[in-house]
């Protein structure tokens, strides 16, 4: 007995909820700094507000992974977490740009930061079980395809989310300027509401079209595929939350090696997400560091959404090519090459003469983003015991959130005291970080390389 080989469209439906998750995530990434600055946050404080995101991941994902490994009921194993996360995230999406409605109770900046925290916690509740579902439902020879399809859907969702404010303004005439009733432009408010609706809808598509294997079936697959049937008995499913710490201590060698790759990859990504808006506003549009209310600043923010959409669009396309490329040169070399391209893209922002030229920079970043979302997980899945898939996917998130926390703590002071208030250098540092990650991935042991 073995897992059934799923068709492309079955894998597509299984991963479809990621489209909505990433649409909400993209709206947050492209616009959270802008909204917080509108509410009064100083550019040097932005990374401190963003620290909420990785902290939520650090706390939430291993716990959700642990409990989803041990959940089984009439609603399934991973599905209850998808739906709960989607509903909570939709609330955060709707309320963050409308934080001023709570101004009678507390400052809008505090409410906005609180909604950012709710969104991040909720995205993490939904995201980790999706990663584990690929390991649950797919055979080993379909792991790379499964994570690549997820990456493609992530790219599509992120393109829609990133471009939506610009599209609403330039195609449908929705204002991108503050009004008497709201400091946040209507195009952002409407975009976040649309994102919330699509998030819930896409999650429901996955829930209604995807069947999960029961724990008994997974154990049978494990027993049949084990080289030594007695190996099945050596890994017990955790029953105590404290077992997460022992699982951490026993993580596979491949996971330890990947941790450093992830550190420098996500250190770079966090810097890009936090500082692109002020960097482009200053370096390309020539605005002062304290200009956060002018029409030019809003235009810069809309353009950041466009170029973020570009790298996500490229990642969606590249994701379909990743399995083929990995089959020819191996997963490690594929990931290293992609990271180098992304590093060059971020560094090149400094040299670009105008906003249109930034499209080229983000095309290169798209290669890195596609690979970051697929290759580490494909490499990791082959080294994890099936009974520990959820908790180890959650623990793996440590190496995503810790570098973001580090960047959140030092990013603002670096911009202020080292970069002389020039946020563009934070993007250059992110590019260098990508290239370091590319070197480190060549040292990773891939137990089940498809090459």
């Amino acid at each position: 007995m073995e897992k059934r080989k799923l068709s492309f469209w079955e894998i597509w439906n299984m991963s479809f909820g990621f489209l909505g998750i990433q649409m909400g995530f993209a709206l947050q990434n492209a616009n959270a700094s802008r909204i917080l600055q509108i509410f009064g946050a100083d550019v040097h404080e932005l990374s401190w507000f963003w620290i909420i995101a990785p902290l939520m991941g650090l706390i939430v994902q291993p716990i959700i992974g642990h409990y989803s490994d041990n959940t089984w009921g009439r609603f399934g194993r991973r599905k209850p977490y998808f739906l709960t996360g989607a509903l909570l995230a939709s609330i955060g999406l709707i309320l963050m740009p409308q934080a001023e409605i709570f101004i009678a109770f507390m400052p809008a900046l505090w409410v906005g930061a609180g909604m950012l925290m709710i969104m991040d916690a909720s995205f993490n509740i939904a995201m980790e079980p999706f990663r584990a579902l690929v390991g649950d439902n797919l055979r080993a020879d379909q792991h790379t395809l499964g994570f690549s399809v997820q990456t493609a859907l992530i790219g599509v969702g992120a393109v829609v989310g990133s471009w939506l404010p610009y599209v609403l303004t330039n195609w449908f005439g929705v204002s991108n300027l503050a009004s008497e009733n709201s400091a946040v432009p209507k195009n952002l408010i409407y975009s976040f509401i649309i994102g919330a609706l699509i998030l819930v809808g896409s999650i429901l598509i996955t829930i209604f079209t995807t069947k999960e294997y029961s724990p008994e079936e997974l154990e049978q697959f494990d027993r049949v595929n084990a080289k030594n049937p007695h190996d099945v008995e050596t890994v017990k499913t955790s029953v105590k939350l404290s077992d997460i710490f022992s699982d951490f201590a026993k993580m596979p060698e491949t996971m330890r090696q990947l941790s450093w790759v992830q550190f420098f990859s996500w250190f770079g990504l966090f810097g890009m997400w936090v500082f692109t808006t002020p960097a482009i506003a200053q370096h390309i549009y020539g605005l002062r560091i304290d200009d956060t209310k002018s029409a030019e600043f809003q235009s810069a923010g809309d353009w950041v959404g466009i170029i973020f959409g570009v790298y996500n669009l490229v990642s969606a396309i590249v994701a379909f090519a990743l399995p083929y490329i990995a089959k020819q040169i191996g997963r490690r070399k594929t990931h290293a090459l992609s990271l180098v391209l992304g590093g060059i893209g971020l560094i090149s922002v400094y040299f670009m003469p105008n906003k249109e030229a930034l499209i080229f920079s983000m095309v290169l970043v798209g290669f890195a983003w596609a690979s970051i979302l697929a290759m580490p997980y494909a490499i990791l899945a082959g080294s994890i015991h099936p009974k520990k898939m959820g908790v180890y996917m959650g623990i793996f998130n440590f190496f995503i959130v810790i570098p973001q926390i580090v960047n959140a703590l030092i990013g603002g002071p670096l911009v202020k005291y080292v970069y002389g208030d020039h946020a563009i250098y934070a993007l250059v540092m992110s590019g260098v970080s990508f290239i370091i990650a590319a070197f480190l991935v060549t040292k990773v042991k891939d137990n089940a390389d498809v090459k």
Side-chain angles (χ1 to χ4, degrees):
M1 184 179 181
E2 63 178 359
K3 294 177 184 177
R4 184 171 62 87
K5 185 173 184 178
L6 300 188
S7 70
F8 174 83
W9 291 112
E10 286 176 310
I11 297 174
W12 178 273
N13 287 335
M14 180 182 71
S15 301
F16 195 77
F18 247 120
L19 183 147
I21 293 174
Q22 196 62 30
M23 182 175 176
F25 199 49
L27 281 165
Q28 172 187 298
N29 287 343
N31 299 291
S33 288
R34 176 183 176 186
I35 292 172
L36 292 173
Q37 284 186 278
I38 289 172
F39 287 153
D42 188 85
V43 66
H44 311 122
E45 302 168 342
L46 286 178
S47 63
W48 296 340
F49 284 106
W50 275 80
I51 200 173
I52 297 170
L55 279 176
M56 287 298 100
L58 185 67
I59 296 168
V60 170
Q61 284 218 17
I63 295 174
I64 294 300
H66 169 83
Y67 282 114
S68 70
D69 277 345
N70 293 280
T71 295
W72 182 257
R74 64 192 187 110
F75 297 111
R77 188 184 194 189
R78 315 291 184 186
K79 291 178 183 179
Y81 299 94
F82 301 164
L83 185 58
T84 301
L87 292 174
L88 292 175
S90 66
I91 293 172
L93 282 166
I94 292 170
L95 294 181
M96 183 185 182
Q98 302 185 78
E100 288 172 304
I101 64 178
F102 300 100
I103 199 168
F105 305 99
M106 63 182 66
L109 181 59
W110 294 9
V111 177
M115 291 303 112
L116 180 62
M117 180 182 69
I118 290 173
M119 279 192 292
D120 280 305
S122 304
F123 288 143
N124 280 294
I125 290 172
M127 195 173 295
E128 188 282 330
F130 257 112
R131 298 291 191 194
L133 185 63
V134 172
D136 289 345
N137 278 18
L138 296 184
R139 301 175 350 178
D141 60 347
Q142 288 193 300
H143 281 166
T144 302
L145 175 61
F147 287 115
S148 295
V149 169
Q150 276 194 358
T151 301
L153 286 164
I154 285 171
V156 172
V159 169
V160 176
S162 298
W163 286 357
L164 193 53
Y166 183 91
V167 168
L168 288 179
T169 295
N170 291 275
W171 295 6
F172 298 98
V174 180
S175 175
N176 70 341
L177 300 176
S179 65
E180 292 182 3
N181 299 322
S182 175
V184 176
K186 285 185 177 179
N187 68 334
L188 286 185
I189 294 174
Y190 294 164
S191 294
F192 275 61
I193 292 172
I194 293 169
L197 295 175
I198 293 178
L199 169 59
V200 174
S202 64
I203 290 287
L204 290 175
I205 288 175
T206 289
I207 288 175
F208 288 123
T209 61
T210 301
K211 175 186 178 295
E212 294 187 78
Y213 290 116
S214 69
E216 292 76 20
E217 288 174 310
L218 289 172
E219 185 168 341
Q220 285 181 324
F221 299 145
D222 186 26
R223 192 179 299 277
V224 168
N225 293 326
K227 295 178 180 179
N228 179 359
H230 295 292
D231 290 344
V232 177
E233 307 300 328
T234 64
V235 177
K236 302 295 184 182
T237 304
S238 301
V239 295
K240 296 183 296 183
L241 189 59
S242 60
D243 289 340
I244 292 175
F245 298 103
S246 62
D247 290 332
F248 183 90
K250 299 174 184 176
M251 75 176 72
E253 178 186 5
T254 297
M255 189 171 176
R256 294 181 187 277
Q257 295 169 335
L258 280 171
S259 67
W260 288 105
V261 179
Q262 294 293 83
F263 181 94
F264 286 99
S265 298
W266 287 87
F267 185 94
L269 286 170
F270 188 84
M272 179 183 74
W273 291 331
V274 173
F275 292 110
T276 294
T277 295
I280 299 308
Q282 291 176 272
H283 194 68
I284 301 298
Y285 283 75
L287 303 181
R288 299 189 316 272
I289 191 171
D290 59 350
D291 184 348
T292 61
K293 301 291 177 64
S294 68
E296 289 80 8
F297 179 80
Q298 301 299 347
S299 296
D302 285 347
W303 190 251
V304 169
I306 290 295
I307 62 176
F308 273 23
V310 167
Y311 86 71
N312 281 293
L313 177 61
V314 170
S315 76
I317 297 170
V318 170
F320 288 107
L322 285 177
Y324 174 79
I325 298 172
K327 191 173 183 179
Q328 303 304 311
I329 67 174
R331 292 189 287 217
R332 291 178 301 172
K333 289 182 180 178
T334 299
H335 195 36
L337 176 62
S338 300
L339 287 168
V340 168
L341 291 175
I344 293 172
L346 285 174
I347 294 170
S348 72
V349 173
Y350 179 85
F351 301 98
M352 291 304 171
N354 52 54
K355 67 176 187 178
E356 289 78 16
L358 297 174
I359 293 174
F360 171 77
S361 300
M362 291 298 142
V363 167
L364 296 180
V365 171
F367 282 85
W369 181 231
S371 192
I372 288 169
L373 291 174
M375 285 299 126
Y377 296 98
I379 295 170
L380 179 67
S383 67
I384 298 176
H385 194 285
K387 288 185 178 181
K388 295 288 187 179
M389 189 65 69
V391 70
Y392 272 130
M393 286 293 181
I395 290 174
F396 195 52
N397 194 58
F398 286 168
F399 311 121
I400 291 175
V401 300
I402 290 173
Q404 294 182 69
I405 292 170
V406 172
N407 200 332
L409 291 173
I410 69 174
L414 282 174
V415 170
K416 185 173 184 177
Y417 298 111
V418 179
Y419 306 150
D421 281 340
H422 294 288
I424 185 64
Y425 293 114
L427 299 190
V428 174
M429 177 60 71
S430 292
V432 172
S433 188
F434 274 13
I435 292 173
I436 295 172
F439 169 75
L440 292 172
V441 77
T442 62
K443 308 299 182 182
V444 173
K445 178 182 179 182
D446 189 351
N447 293 326
D449 200 334
V450 293
K451 182 174 179 296

